[in-house]
Amino acid sequence: MYVISIVCVLIAAVTAGGADLESGAGYSVHGIKLRSRSDQQLISELQQSVDLDIWQYGLPEGQDTLVMLSPENRVEVLDELDAKGIEHYLHLADVKQALETHAEEVKQWKQQSRSGGAVPFNDYPRYAEVDAYMESIAAQYPNLVTIVNAGKSFEGRDIKYLKISTTNFADASKPIYFMDAMMHAREWVTTPPTLYSIHRLVENLRDQDKDLLEDVDWIILPIANPDGYEYTHINSSTRMWRKTRSVNPEISENCIGVDPNRNFDTHWNTTGVSPNPCAETFPGNEAFSEPETRIVRDILLEHLDRMQVYMNIHSHGNWVLYGFDNYTLPPNYIHLHLVGASMGSVMDTMKLPQADWYKVGNSAMVFYETSGSAQDYGQLVGVPLSYTLELPGYGYGFLVPPQFIDHINKETWEGIAVTARMARIYHQSGL
Ligand SMILES: *[C@@H]1O[C@H](CO)[C@@H](O)[C@H](O)[C@H]1NC(C)=O
Ligand SMILES: *[C@@H]1O[C@H](CO)[C@@H](O)[C@H](O)[C@H]1NC(C)=O
Ligand SMILES: *[C@@H]1O[C@H](CO)[C@@H](O)[C@H](O)[C@H]1NC(C)=O
């Protein structure tokens, strides 16, 4: 019975999976209470077999998994959970309604903040606004900031990052801290903390943070997947897009895009991926098929000699994760854990009541095995401290109301600051 239901759902997934939500009509989000590793494993299997859209990863007895179900797959998935005796509940009955409410909130926020003098880091800025902000910072602070145009996205948008350094990246004794965001297009809340970090380092440096500017060189890439990000701004049916927007008719006529966080060259196309080009976790037709992931790869490789931290920022669920994705711990795992835990605990001291606590650990051990992630690639090529950061969702999933951005910026900045300070000490000690 299990096999039969999966086959039926797979047919539905090929037509509906990974596609736009139409208007989101009929979609719902469900919480799942995990009891054990095998429940986690079942969710992982369902993710591949029915292209289950996981909103938030869960932890047995710790944090509920959140999954979005479509009208096509809901009955099968819930029946499967019931058959296994796994407790679940309705978290969000009407995704369409939530998308419309979110769009209205964002629109109102933009109108208010425009009249009050807009700051792009306290908003969900469009690609062009982020670009203008980075260009203006580089123009205003030429002794501190260099803007780099790293190349074009699939659709031809420039992917730019800022290098921030008091010594023009010429002092080899400094560690480099690299952060990127918006690899997954719908994770809107990830770009503001990168812009806020630029703001705090350049425009609003405070006495207590002078060491962070003096002693560390920074590379900040606010939008790693600009095509996907702009696509999510078209209307509420495209808001949930996750992947890139690459088109490859040899693979599929109808299904667009690749999961960039499964497209890196580390155990590529082995576990935690779907061969279905429509699926959310389709890893591409080869490692680094996407210009967007090649750009991140090239930044990592160019600066490997002294890059100490790579922070790959996602949303949501309050996680600080490190490699490897196959259960094997990197040799420096004690430091990886200590720095990740320091970050999580600093952010927890500022947490809002409705946020979850941060959890820290090896990504395979806390979730399950996967492949092709940016975090693992960074670790594998030699960045000592390579992390996936999953920011809070406050119960709204990817649709975090803009009122929370200011808080998430400040909280995340404190986490980044503590990891930068520890990275500096390790770098000076030759670790
Ligand atoms: C939203 O935009 C997509 C892509 O342009 C389009 O196909 C779809 O019809 C639009 N949906 C609505 C509800 O406007
Ligand atoms: C990825 O792996 C799947 C399953 O093993 C296989 O069917 C597919 O051909 C692989 N894709 C490529 C491009 O090698
Ligand atoms: C897990 O991945 C790492 C990094 O690629 C590799 O060094 C290690 O051998 C792998 N472990 C197993 C058990 O395959």
Side-chain angles (χ1 to χ4, degrees), residues 20 22-23 231 234-235 237-238:
D20 299 326
E22 279 106 43
S23 55
Y231 188 71
I234 293 176
N235 60 37
S237 33
T238 62

Side-chain angles (χ1 to χ4, degrees), residues 301-372:
L301 297 180
E302 182 185 344
H303 298 283
L304 264 189
D305 55 336
R306 58 194 179 90
M307 190 179 286
Q308 194 74 21
V309 182
Y310 172 41
M311 192 63 62
N312 180 233
I313 305 176
H314 290 262
S315 126
H316 53 100
N318 296 75
W319 299 94
V320 183
L321 302 168
Y322 51 85
F324 289 111
D325 280 335
N326 63 357
Y327 297 103
T328 301
L329 290 169
N332 66 331
Y333 70 92
I334 289 180
H335 288 127
L336 267 167
H337 192 83
L338 187 65
V339 174
S342 304
M343 180 178 209
S345 50
V346 163
M347 295 189 291
D348 273 350
T349 63
M350 297 175 68
K351 87 182 258 306
L352 296 177
Q354 58 270 65
D356 288 312
W357 300 101
Y358 267 97
K359 295 144 306 261
V360 181
N362 169 271
S363 51
M365 293 183 198
V366 297
F367 298 158
Y368 40 74
E369 210 169 333
T370 178
S371 59

